[in-house]
Amino acid sequence: MLFKIALGNVRKSVRDYAVYFVTLVLGVCVFYAFNTIANQAGFLSKDTREMVKSIGILIRYVTVFLACVLGFLMVYANNYLVRRRKRELGLYQLLGCTRGQVSLILFFETIAASALSFLVGLGLGVLLSQLLVFVTAALFNDCVTNFSFMFSTDAALFTLFCFLLIFAV
C-alpha cells in the first residue's frame, strides 16, 4: 500500500523530481562512459592503449570523489523535496500514518526515482561511451580499428558501486 502511494506521488510530483532525476541520470551516464575508456582502449594502437589504460585508473579515483560530491547534492535535493512537500506529509500524519510510514513512503519514492534514473543513465552512458572511443582516438591522433559495440560489465558494476556510494553519503 505504501509503495503504491509512493509511486503515485512520484507521478504527481514529476516536476519536483525532474531536477533530482536529471542529476542522477547525468551522473550515472558520465560515470559509466568515462569508466569504459580504459576498457575500450583495445580499439586503439598499442602506444595509445597503454596511455589510455593509465588514464582510466585515474578516472576511477576521480569518479569516486565525484560520487561523494553528488551524494551531498542529493542530500540537498532530498531536503528541498521534503520542505516543499511539508503540508502533504503532514496530511498523511493527520490521516493516521505514523512518522515511520511517512518516512517509508519517502524511501520508496526515492528508490523508484533512483532506479529509473540509474537505468536511463546507464543506457545513455552506453551510447556516450561508444562516441568517446572516437573522441579519445582523435585526442591522441590515432584511428579506431575493428570497432564493435561494447558493453562493459566492469564499468556497469563500478557505476552501480558509485551510485550506491551517492546514497551512502
Side-chain angles (χ1 to χ4, degrees):
M1 174 75 171
L2 295 177
F3 188 72
K4 198 175 197 179
I5 292 171
L7 286 179
N9 286 346
V10 171
R11 273 189 239 120
K12 283 187 272 183
S13 304
V14 169
R15 194 180 276 164
D16 292 337
Y17 275 101
V19 172
Y20 185 82
F21 179 77
V22 169
T23 303
L24 284 176
V25 165
L26 289 175
V28 169
C29 178
V30 169
F31 289 169
Y32 178 83
F34 283 116
N35 283 294
T36 59
I37 289 174
N39 295 344
Q40 293 182 343
F43 298 125
L44 305 171
S45 67
K46 187 171 177 118
D47 296 335
T48 307
R49 185 179 313 148
E50 295 306 317
M51 191 180 317
V52 169
K53 283 186 180 183
S54 62
I55 291 171
I57 293 169
L58 177 66
I59 287 175
R60 284 209 173 223
Y61 291 115
V62 171
T63 302
V64 170
F65 172 74
L66 289 176
C68 292
V69 171
L70 195 58
F72 287 112
L73 181 64
M74 290 299 103
V75 167
Y76 174 76
N78 279 334
N79 287 338
Y80 169 76
L81 287 173
V82 169
R83 268 187 275 123
R84 188 168 169 99
R85 298 174 56 203
K86 191 187 310 187
R87 288 184 180 158
E88 176 189 345
L89 301 176
L91 183 62
Y92 286 143
Q93 288 184 318
L94 272 173
L95 292 173
C97 288
T98 64
R99 284 181 178 238
Q101 289 173 323
V102 172
S103 295
L104 202 55
I105 289 171
L106 288 173
F107 175 75
F108 287 145
E109 287 177 15
T110 302
I111 293 295
S114 300
L116 183 63
S117 64
F118 180 78
L119 294 174
V120 171
L122 194 61
L124 290 174
V126 168
L127 296 175
L128 180 63
S129 69
Q130 306 308 309
L131 292 173
L132 278 179
V133 172
F134 295 102
V135 171
T136 305
L139 284 173
F140 292 107
N141 291 327
D142 200 1
C143 62
V144 177
T145 56
N146 299 328
F147 177 78
S148 63
F149 190 82
M150 182 180 146
F151 178 80
S152 173
T153 308
D154 182 45
L157 290 175
F158 187 72
T159 302
L160 179 61
F161 166 75
C162 289
F163 191 73
L164 294 174
L165 181 64
I166 290 169
F167 291 99
V169 168

